[in-house]
Amino acid sequence: MTLKRQLLLASALMLLIPWAGLKFVLELDQALRTQAADQLDSQASRIAAGLVPRLPRTDGREVLYAGTLTQALKLDGYGDDWPGYEDRVSTPAADQPGLSWQLAVDSQHLYALIRVRQPRARFFDPGQPDARHDFLRLYWQDGDGIQERHIRTPAPGPVIGHLPGLAPRPDYRVSGYWQATGSGHQIELRLPRPVGRQGFGFEMVLVESGDSTRVVGPGGPPALPQLLTRIPAAEQQLAEVLFPGQRALVLSKDGWVLAREAIPAVETAPDFDSLNALEILERISLNGLRALVRHFQPEPVELPEVEDRLMPALLQGGRLVRHGNEPPHLTSVVPLPDQSLLVLEQSLAQQLALSGDTLGAVITRSILLILTLTLALLGYASWLSWRITRLQRSVRASIDPDGRVLGAMPTSRAGDELGELSRQFGRMVDNLQGYTSYLESFARRLSHELKTPVAVVRSSLDNLSQPGTSETQRAAYRQRALKATDRLSSILQGMSEAARLEQSFDQAETEAFDLARVAAEAAGAYQVLAPGHQLRYSGPESGVQVQGSPELMVQLLDKLVDNARDFTPEGGLIEIQLQELDTSVELAVFNQGSSLPEHLTSEIFNPFVSLREGANEGHLGQGLLIVRLIAEFHRGRIVAENHAGRGGVIFRIRLPRQ
């Protein structure tokens, strides 16, 4: 059995238990959440039916909301002791620029904090009572009637309410403070809490330039705005029907909180001193289970902390919600009369604890089985680790830190992947040794090729500088130097040609083309260019499809035919051959002439290897290197061998069929 199958079999035994447990937990969590959502909807419907008689009836009038105070306010006109002073002051309407307010109530009083942005305040002048001045009109519901009071002051400071009329009488139930600010003034007031349908409104009369007046505010009679506050009777009823971990909100159609009640979940913190090791392990498993279930649950809708307002549109994102940093809650929304809403939320902590306790015993018992399997897997892994360590020592002993090959690796006889990996490492070390030898020989060849032209240039320059040298000698020295520099240029050009060819492979586009047509047309062109040789093509005229670049294949044939012309005697035969095999195509170039030395049949495709003599002496030997690179680009390979029957040399390129 292969090593891969051995590891898969061992891993499957380990993964089976947590996979099955995870599937069971997630399915149980989904079922519990579905059941809890149905129960929450039923409970919310029952609560909504009992809340309807206690909710205020609203009409089309404007609504003013007053929050419920939890501590007394100091009437000083500043408002820094108001809850949420900077965040919850009402934003002024478009038709009431420069005015904002905040309202609050306790059991007996209504508090108002009114900001007025007025560049120049005009206060009341007792000496000229009929002169225009800034003042505030208050209206509130008192039984079946509407009470009206005016607030005016000759200067910033304490104020009281006055009944309207020619002879205003003070009403000390309405008191507060008129405070000047950098952008206008701010009024903080306390007045009796409205009764009945809780109508309340106010209007600020501001004197502008030219003694004209401007009235801003939510309005007064006859359409007195309705004052909404939290309803204690509704909150008391909610407290009687909620369970631990639940929270209920009653929202008006504009999102104002009319009732809010919550019963905290029962926290059962375990006493770890009284738990044994198995129980502690079970608790740890339960905590991990809860975190895992939360990870796979749907992402809850993020909601702000519940203060005095929660926009109903935010509740339409899903059944799971989260307020700020609180844990997720399951929610149910039930519509009430006058477009108000009942929002019932259930903490998921109880549900997760239920699923955790249900699976706690199973998980704890499964740990023993997992530990047993783990020990078996550790033993098996230790055996694998010993084999891998032995392979590592063999590799380290074969190659030193500088990359030099010190010796061959021992051959492994194992039949699994580690044995095959050891054999692959052995072949890699052998290939690395061959490549290192190639690089060393390449450096020697390059040094040898460059040494002669450099020496010629130096000696020619030295001779030119010698006194008494004739002009004929100088011309000869210059000619020698020019030939040597041409030789250097040819060396560099040949090297760069091979480098450019390798780089061009990255941008070369391959296509399916007919190799027979390319070879036949190229052979016809070569016959015109080489009239001193017999050059012909042998193979099919068309229908041999391969994948690659026809331009590069023509360049390969150019190099092979050019090489063949240098070694073929006058009138000799050069033949381009093409034949189809079972799964490949063989392209060959044969030329009559001298044979290859047996020890060079593989080295001639390396750079700076050339067998030319006489007029061609000094050839760089880059042509066959380019041929090898093009063949490898087409996923083929090239070999050179002596033709035993006809005499001469044949180059064979084996290419895969399309």
Side-chain angles (χ1 to χ4, degrees):
M1 182 181 293
T2 63
L3 179 62
K4 181 178 181 180
R5 293 186 177 181
Q6 296 172 20
L7 290 176
L8 284 177
L9 180 60
S11 301
L13 296 176
M14 292 293 296
L15 295 176
L16 183 60
I17 294 177
W19 177 82
L22 177 60
K23 295 290 290 183
F24 179 72
V25 168
L26 296 180
E27 291 177 2
L28 178 60
D29 174 70
Q30 178 64 34
L32 288 174
R33 278 194 290 111
T34 302
Q35 182 182 11
D38 295 339
Q39 294 176 351
L40 198 65
D41 291 340
S42 300
Q43 182 185 3
S45 299
R46 293 193 301 269
I47 295 175
L51 280 177
V52 171
R54 302 182 182 275
L55 298 179
R57 295 184 178 180
T58 59
D59 47 32
R61 294 180 295 166
E62 183 177 357
V63 172
L64 299 182
Y65 184 81
T68 302
L69 292 175
T70 57
Q71 60 182 7
L73 296 177
K74 181 181 180 181
L75 299 179
D76 54 5
Y78 285 105
D80 52 354
D81 53 348
W82 282 67
Y85 170 69
E86 293 296 335
D87 301 328
R88 288 161 40 198
V89 172
S90 300
T91 302
D95 58 345
Q96 298 176 5
L99 178 68
S100 58
W101 64 87
Q102 183 176 352
L103 304 178
V105 295
D106 58 17
S107 59
Q108 298 179 350
H109 300 95
L110 169 65
Y111 297 84
L113 180 65
I114 303 171
R115 293 193 209 178
V116 180
R117 183 174 299 175
Q118 181 81 342
R120 181 179 59 85
R122 185 175 297 186
F123 293 104
F124 171 68
D125 186 359
Q128 299 179 357
D130 296 333
R132 294 184 181 274
H133 57 276
D134 297 343
F135 70 97
L136 175 66
R137 290 196 292 253
L138 298 174
Y139 310 95
W140 72 88
Q141 198 92 25
D142 187 4
D144 294 333
I146 295 178
Q147 300 291 329
E148 179 180 355
R149 299 293 183 269
H150 292 182
I151 304 295
R152 62 186 183 183
T153 181
V159 295
I160 59 174
H162 292 82
L163 276 71
L166 297 178
R169 290 177 298 164
D171 184 354
Y172 294 100
R173 296 179 305 165
V174 181
S175 61
Y177 208 96
W178 191 308
Q179 185 66 260
T181 62
S183 59
H185 37 268
Q186 186 166 274
I187 307 170
E188 187 178 20
L189 299 173
R190 179 179 62 197
L191 61 152
R193 181 169 176 171
V195 296
R197 297 185 65 184
Q198 295 190 340
F200 174 77
F202 63 89
E203 295 175 334
M204 191 73 193
V205 181
L206 302 175
V207 181
E208 298 184 332
S209 60
D211 287 342
S212 62
T213 59
R214 177 168 60 96
V215 179
V216 294
L224 195 63
Q226 184 175 3
L227 181 66
L228 293 183
T229 63
R230 288 169 55 181
I231 307 170
E235 292 182 340
Q236 182 178 359
Q237 181 175 348
L238 290 176
E240 296 173 355
V241 296
L242 295 182
F243 298 110
Q246 289 186 338
R247 173 168 52 203
L249 299 171
V250 180
L251 305 177
S252 70
K253 64 178 182 179
D254 297 324
W256 296 109
V257 176
L258 302 180
R260 178 176 61 193
E261 192 61 44
I263 305 297
V266 178
E267 297 291 342
T268 56
D271 184 10
F272 283 96
D273 295 335
S274 62
L275 300 178
N276 55 38
L278 186 59
E279 291 173 337
I280 292 176
L281 186 60
E282 182 178 348
R283 289 291 175 180
I284 295 175
S285 302
L286 293 180
N287 292 334
L289 178 65
R290 294 188 181 101
L292 185 63
V293 170
R294 291 193 188 100
H295 175 73
F296 284 97
Q297 283 177 347
E299 191 67 22
V301 178
E302 299 292 340
L303 298 179
E305 295 284 352
V306 179
E307 295 292 345
D308 288 338
R309 196 174 190 181
L310 180 63
M311 300 307 297
L314 299 177
L315 300 172
Q316 300 176 0
R319 297 298 295 267
L320 283 180
V321 299
R322 178 190 286 121
H323 295 276
N325 296 325
E326 294 182 354
H329 283 67
L330 189 65
T331 181
S332 176
V333 180
V334 178
L336 298 173
D338 298 329
Q339 300 181 7
S340 56
L341 298 175
L342 169 64
V343 182
L344 183 60
E345 298 179 355
Q346 168 72 56
S347 173
L348 293 181
Q350 303 299 318
Q351 179 188 346
L352 292 177
L354 176 62
S355 64
D357 292 337
T358 303
L359 292 179
V362 177
I363 294 176
T364 303
R365 297 187 186 98
S366 300
I367 290 177
L368 297 177
L369 179 59
I370 293 175
L371 289 177
T372 303
L373 295 176
T374 301
L375 292 176
L377 186 61
L378 285 176
Y380 181 69
S382 300
W383 178 64
L384 291 181
S385 177
W386 173 77
R387 293 181 61 191
I388 294 174
T389 302
R390 186 176 63 176
L391 176 60
Q392 182 182 4
R393 287 197 299 265
S394 300
V395 174
R396 188 183 300 115
S398 301
I399 302 176
D400 66 2
D402 296 331
R404 289 188 293 270
V405 179
L406 302 178
M409 287 183 55
T411 303
S412 174
R413 297 181 180 179
D416 54 16
E417 281 80 355
L418 275 180
E420 180 62 25
L421 179 63
S422 176
R423 291 187 288 273
Q424 290 289 345
F425 270 120
R427 286 191 286 269
M428 183 188 69
V429 170
D430 294 340
N431 294 336
L432 181 61
Q433 177 65 46
Y435 187 68
T436 303
S437 302
Y438 163 73
L439 291 179
E440 292 175 351
S441 63
F442 178 82
R444 290 194 301 269
R445 292 168 182 169
L446 180 61
S447 174
H448 174 75
E449 292 292 333
L450 295 178
K451 184 183 299 182
T452 300
V454 170
V456 171
V457 171
R458 167 170 284 184
S459 62
S460 299
L461 294 177
D462 290 341
N463 292 331
L464 284 173
S465 61
Q466 294 296 329
T469 304
S470 65
E471 188 61 31
T472 302
Q473 293 175 325
R474 289 177 180 274
Y477 292 146
R478 284 194 294 269
Q479 187 65 25
R480 288 181 58 195
L482 287 175
K483 290 183 178 181
T485 55
D486 290 341
R487 174 62 177 166
L488 288 174
S489 177
S490 299
I491 293 174
L492 297 178
Q493 182 178 358
M495 294 178 62
S496 63
E497 182 181 0
R500 286 194 304 271
L501 180 64
E502 288 187 281
Q503 293 175 358
S504 68
F505 289 160
D506 296 334
Q507 289 80 29
E509 296 183 359
T510 61
E511 59 178 300
F513 66 95
D514 191 345
L515 180 59
R517 187 180 300 275
V518 171
E521 293 178 355
Y526 298 148
Q527 183 64 61
V528 177
L529 298 176
H533 297 90
Q534 302 179 41
L535 203 153
R536 67 188 183 194
Y537 168 72
S538 174
E541 294 297 328
S542 62
V544 181
Q545 295 290 323
V546 296
Q547 186 75 21
S549 172
E551 292 80 8
L552 291 177
M553 194 58 63
V554 171
Q555 186 177 359
L556 177 144
L557 290 173
D558 289 344
K559 297 295 183 182
L560 288 178
V561 172
D562 182 64
N563 180 79
R565 290 168 55 191
D566 291 341
F567 292 94
T568 303
E570 189 73 20
L573 175 63
I574 300 176
E575 184 178 24
I576 300 176
Q577 304 171 0
L578 180 64
Q579 60 177 334
E580 299 182 79
L581 305 178
D582 292 338
T583 59
S584 60
V585 176
E586 184 178 275
L587 177 66
V589 176
F590 166 78
N591 68 276
Q592 293 179 337
S594 59
S595 301
L596 282 173
E598 292 296 334
H599 67 282
L600 291 180
T601 54
S602 60
E603 293 188 8
I604 59 174
F605 299 105
N606 295 330
F608 305 116
V609 176
S610 178
L611 301 178
R612 291 170 174 81
E613 297 178 356
N616 293 321
E617 184 178 359
H619 195 278
L620 296 178
Q622 300 291 314
L624 295 182
L625 170 63
I626 293 175
V627 169
R628 177 174 63 85
L629 293 177
I630 295 176
E632 292 175 352
F633 171 74
H634 287 80
R635 296 178 296 133
R637 60 187 182 89
I638 182 171
V639 295
E641 56 189 14
N642 295 318
H643 201 290
R646 304 167 65 181
V649 178
I650 186 170
F651 290 83
R652 305 181 188 272
I653 300 98
R654 188 72 59 87
L655 301 173
R657 299 174 69 100
Q658 184 187 8

